[in-house]
Amino acid sequence: QVQLVESGGGLVQAGGSLRLSCAASGDTFSNYAVGWFRQAPGNERWFVAGISRSGGATYYADSVKGRFAVSRDNAKKLVYLQMDRLKPEDTAVYYCAADRATASALDPVLAHYWGQGIQVTVFS
């Protein structure tokens, strides 16, 4: 199994940038695909971005394409979510999740391992 901890959230003005990190411990990290999700108050948890086990494939929700970029460093057991040109509607708690199956890692219901989440607030 793998344990996940997010960091890098905070308060940022619209148009600004943040980089979230997801640090893993436990099992061999390269065995897991990773997804990023977000949940705003009163809303469901939605997929934002994902990356395959090797990092060779990345996936994005339409709402963040061209603004967010996901990457990973398996040697350091880290996954990053670079968020640029942030908008107030990006405000949410952001979670990273991991699963051995890529399709599951991109699914808010199927992803097996979750971090505790971190707040991102974008003000205009």
Side-chain angles (χ1 to χ4, degrees):
Q1 65 183 43
V2 63
Q3 295 78 41
L4 305 171
V5 178
E6 301 94 341
S7 62
L11 189 66
V12 64
Q13 191 169 18
S17 299
L18 281 175
R19 188 176 80 161
L20 303 184
S21 298
C22 175
S25 60
D27 199 0
T28 302
F29 188 49
S30 57
N31 288 340
Y32 295 86
V34 173
W36 284 96
F37 301 84
R38 66 188 181 189
Q39 186 169 20
N43 289 351
E44 297 179 5
R45 193 170 296 184
W46 293 100
F47 167 76
V48 175
I51 190 164
S52 63
R53 289 184 292 269
S54 68
T58 55
Y59 312 87
Y60 297 95
D62 287 344
S63 59
V64 306
K65 277 182 184 176
R67 300 189 298 121
F68 289 13
V70 60
S71 60
R72 68 188 295 162
D73 184 333
N74 283 340
K76 295 182 179 178
K77 295 188 172 183
L78 286 168
V79 173
Y80 304 102
L81 183 66
Q82 178 68 41
M83 306 186 294
D84 298 323
R85 290 182 282 145
L86 283 160
K87 304 175 182 180
E89 51 263 44
D90 294 318
T91 295
V93 176
Y94 282 71
Y95 299 86
C96 62
D99 199 286
R100 287 178 176 266
T102 300
S104 296
L106 309 184
D107 190 302
V109 174
L110 298 178
H112 197 78
Y113 301 104
W114 289 85
Q116 81 288 353
I118 192 161
Q119 179 70 44
V120 170
T121 302
V122 184
F123 64 94
S124 56

